């Protein structure tokens, strides 16, 4: 019979050492084994990327604001209080609340994807609450039906030039907003990706930055074209070279937290620039414009969509095909419409 091999010889640690090295438990269990909305939310956030948590928080803050307004509560409830109120409801009451929230989002003219994301957030966090005994029901409120054809059209190249002209000054705000618009268009970042950029992760000498993609925990290296590098350098003359978020808030808002611009602020900035030139512009529209332009220049240069995927950073090439198909469809439809119109004068 062979002698037992000591765990130390295998490079392992003993059971006591392993137990000591384990991270703290995710949930703080109250006396009697019960949980609160706060502990449920903390556990639900565990393991998610920072920019993902920020997005979920914004969805839940919108729900808290809706519920506060519906109940006539002022000031509005925070997320934990709103979730605690939802979890305490009976199944019919909880579903009535969430159905009302869905109707509220629809009346606010949010896209089907945005509405369904808000509902999915509530379903997911309430599912964990049910698993841990806070209630016995689970949300069955369905999402809204999305259009089968995805809108991939963003601002035209001429519109992007007008946006840049609208913020081409030398103030801190102008140089920051100019760099934001140019970064959206040239690199095709999502708004959460742009907000998560850090100066210490950006090497302007080499023309690179590290970005955290959608649904990913690992960062990826993204190349910066010369115009973006120049725009960032102009902005850094005002911002300074201290480590931290690349794009900062201004004024009193910078004294709160690390001063990072959040997605709502960037949405407002881009929307306000669009209003200056009489257009409805949104951040993801600039990403659409970037990817559409990449598809067009790649086709002219004989570059395949598998290479364009490196620019769009889509998880599946099938999503990128939507851009190519939509571009071809619109061009074909326009040609046929012109030919049909000509029959009237033939």
């Amino acid at each position: 019979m062979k002698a037992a091999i000591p765990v130390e010889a295998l490079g392992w640690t003993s059971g006591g050492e392993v137990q000591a090295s384990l991270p703290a438990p995710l949930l703080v269990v109250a006396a009697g084994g019960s949980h609160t909305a706060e502990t449920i939310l903390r556990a639900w956030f565990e393991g998610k990327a920072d920019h993902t948590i920020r997005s979920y928080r914004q969805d839940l803050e919108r729900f808290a604001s809706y519920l506060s307004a519906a109940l006539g509560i002022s000031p509005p409830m925070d997320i934990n209080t709103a979730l605690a109120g939802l979890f305490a409801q009976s199944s019919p009451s909880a579903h009535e609340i969430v159905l009302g929230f869905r109707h509220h989002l629809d009346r606010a003219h949010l896209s089907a994807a945005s509405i369904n994301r808000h509902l999915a957030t509530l379903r997911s966090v309430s599912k964990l609450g049910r698993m841990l005994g806070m209630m016995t029901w689970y949300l069955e409120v369905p999402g809204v039906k999305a259009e089968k054809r995805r809108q991939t059209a963003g601002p035209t190249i001429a519109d992007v030039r007008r946006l840049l002209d609208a913020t081409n000054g030398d103030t801190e705000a102008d140089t920051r907003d100019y760099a934001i618009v140019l970064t959206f268009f040239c690199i095709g970042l999502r708004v959460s990706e742009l907000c998560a950029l850090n100066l210490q992760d950006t090497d302007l000498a080499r023309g690179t930055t590290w970005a955290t993609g959608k649904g990913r925990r690992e960062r990826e290296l993204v190349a910066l074209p010369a115009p973006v590098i120049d725009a960032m350098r102009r902005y850094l003359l005002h911002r300074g070279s201290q480590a931290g978020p690349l794009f900062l808030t201004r004024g009193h808002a910078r004294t709160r937290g690390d001063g990072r611009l959040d997605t709502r602020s960037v949405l407002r900035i881009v929307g306000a620039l669009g209003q200056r030139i009489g257009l409805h512009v949104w951040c993801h529209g600039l990403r659409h414009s970037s990817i559409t332009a990449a598809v067009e220049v790649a086709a002219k240069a004989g570059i395949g969509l598998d290479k364009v995927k490196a620019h769009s950073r889509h998880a599946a090439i099938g999503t990128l095909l939507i851009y190519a198909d939509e571009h071809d469809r619109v061009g074909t439809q326009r040609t046929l419409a012109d030919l049909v119109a000509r029959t009237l004068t033939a």
Side-chain angles (χ1 to χ4, degrees), residues 2 23 51 57 157 189 208 221 226:
K2 294 184 179 180
H51 68 278
R57 278 196 178 279
I157 304 298
L189 292 181
T208 59
L221 193 64

Side-chain angles (χ1 to χ4, degrees), residues 28-145:
V28 178
V29 182
S34 61
H35 298 284
T36 65
E38 183 179 359
T39 61
I40 296 298
L41 190 63
R42 186 186 308 139
W44 188 68
F45 281 150
E46 186 68 29
K48 293 179 172 63
D50 289 342
H51 68 278
T52 302
I53 292 175
R54 284 195 295 270
S55 296
Y56 283 144
R57 278 196 178 279
Q58 289 176 1
D59 292 345
L60 293 172
E61 285 170 357
R62 187 186 287 267
F63 171 71
S65 296
Y66 160 76
L67 189 57
S68 300
L71 297 176
I73 296 176
S74 182
M77 294 182 283
D78 59 23
I79 294 174
N80 290 331
T81 304
L83 287 179
L86 178 66
F87 293 165
Q89 302 301 310
S90 64
S91 177
S93 180
H95 281 83
E96 183 177 357
I97 290 172
V98 178
L99 282 169
F101 182 51
R102 186 183 69 176
H103 180 64
H104 165 74
L105 296 175
D106 186 51
R107 291 190 63 185
H109 304 295
L110 270 67
S111 68
S114 294
I115 294 174
N116 291 339
R117 188 193 69 242
H118 282 78
L119 296 177
T121 298
L122 284 176
R123 282 196 296 265
S124 181
V125 71
S126 63
K127 179 180 178 181
L128 181 59
R130 179 176 179 269
M131 288 170 58
L132 296 173
M134 288 209 67
M135 64 280 199
T136 59
W137 48 261
Y138 54 90
L139 287 177
E140 300 179 79
V141 176
V144 298
K145 187 175 182 180

Side-chain angles (χ1 to χ4, degrees), residues 1-262:
M1 183 176 179
K2 294 184 179 180
I5 302 176
V7 294
E8 293 80 0
L10 298 176
W12 299 349
T13 55
S14 65
E17 291 173 322
V18 170
Q19 186 174 3
S21 65
L22 288 175
L26 303 183
L27 294 174
V28 178
V29 182
S34 61
H35 298 284
T36 65
E38 183 179 359
T39 61
I40 296 298
L41 190 63
R42 186 186 308 139
W44 188 68
F45 281 150
E46 186 68 29
K48 293 179 172 63
D50 289 342
H51 68 278
T52 302
I53 292 175
R54 284 195 295 270
S55 296
Y56 283 144
R57 278 196 178 279
Q58 289 176 1
D59 292 345
L60 293 172
E61 285 170 357
R62 187 186 287 267
F63 171 71
S65 296
Y66 160 76
L67 189 57
S68 300
L71 297 176
I73 296 176
S74 182
M77 294 182 283
D78 59 23
I79 294 174
N80 290 331
T81 304
L83 287 179
L86 178 66
F87 293 165
Q89 302 301 310
S90 64
S91 177
S93 180
H95 281 83
E96 183 177 357
I97 290 172
V98 178
L99 282 169
F101 182 51
R102 186 183 69 176
H103 180 64
H104 165 74
L105 296 175
D106 186 51
R107 291 190 63 185
H109 304 295
L110 270 67
S111 68
S114 294
I115 294 174
N116 291 339
R117 188 193 69 242
H118 282 78
L119 296 177
T121 298
L122 284 176
R123 282 196 296 265
S124 181
V125 71
S126 63
K127 179 180 178 181
L128 181 59
R130 179 176 179 269
M131 288 170 58
L132 296 173
M134 288 209 67
M135 64 280 199
T136 59
W137 48 261
Y138 54 90
L139 287 177
E140 300 179 79
V141 176
V144 298
K145 187 175 182 180
E147 295 181 4
K148 292 184 178 180
R149 185 171 298 281
R150 181 174 179 176
Q151 174 58 261
T152 61
T156 65
I157 304 298
D159 291 337
V160 175
R161 291 195 183 104
R162 292 170 61 200
L163 278 174
L164 293 171
D165 289 341
T167 182
N168 198 22
D170 291 323
T171 66
E172 179 181 358
D174 285 334
T175 55
R176 182 198 63 185
D177 298 350
Y178 185 96
I180 285 174
V181 172
L182 200 61
T183 301
F184 271 134
F185 178 72
C186 292
I187 308 176
L189 292 181
R190 300 172 178 89
V191 63
S192 60
E193 295 169 343
L194 180 133
C195 291
L197 294 178
N198 294 311
L199 181 57
Q200 63 268 27
D201 300 327
T202 304
D203 189 338
L204 296 182
R206 296 185 178 183
T208 59
T209 190
W210 289 93
T212 304
K214 179 181 178 181
R216 301 184 178 115
R217 296 185 183 179
E218 296 295 328
R219 298 180 302 167
E220 51 189 318
L221 193 64
V222 177
L224 302 175
V228 172
I229 295 173
D230 292 341
M232 287 184 176
R233 281 179 171 153
R234 286 181 59 218
Y235 168 53
L236 292 179
L237 292 175
H238 297 279
R239 178 202 177 280
S241 58
Q242 69 274 19
L246 178 57
F247 294 110
L248 295 172
T249 56
R250 298 175 54 249
H252 297 295
R254 190 178 291 186
T255 63
R256 298 194 298 268
D258 60 1
R260 184 184 301 274
L261 269 181
D262 59 21

Side-chain angles (χ1 to χ4, degrees), residues 262-293:
D262 59 21
T263 56
R264 288 183 180 178
S265 297
V266 177
L267 288 168
R268 284 196 295 268
I269 289 170
V270 173
L273 288 175
Q275 290 179 352
R276 287 191 200 176
I277 63 173
L279 290 177
H280 171 61
V281 182
W282 67 106
C283 298
H284 213 68
L286 289 170
R287 171 171 161 80
H288 288 327
S289 299
S290 176
I291 297 173
T292 300

Side-chain angles (χ1 to χ4, degrees), residues 294-311 320 324:
V295 169
E296 292 178 359
V297 297
K300 293 177 181 177
I303 300 174
L305 288 180
D306 57 326
K307 303 297 183 184
V308 180
K309 183 171 173 285
H311 175 78
L320 183 57

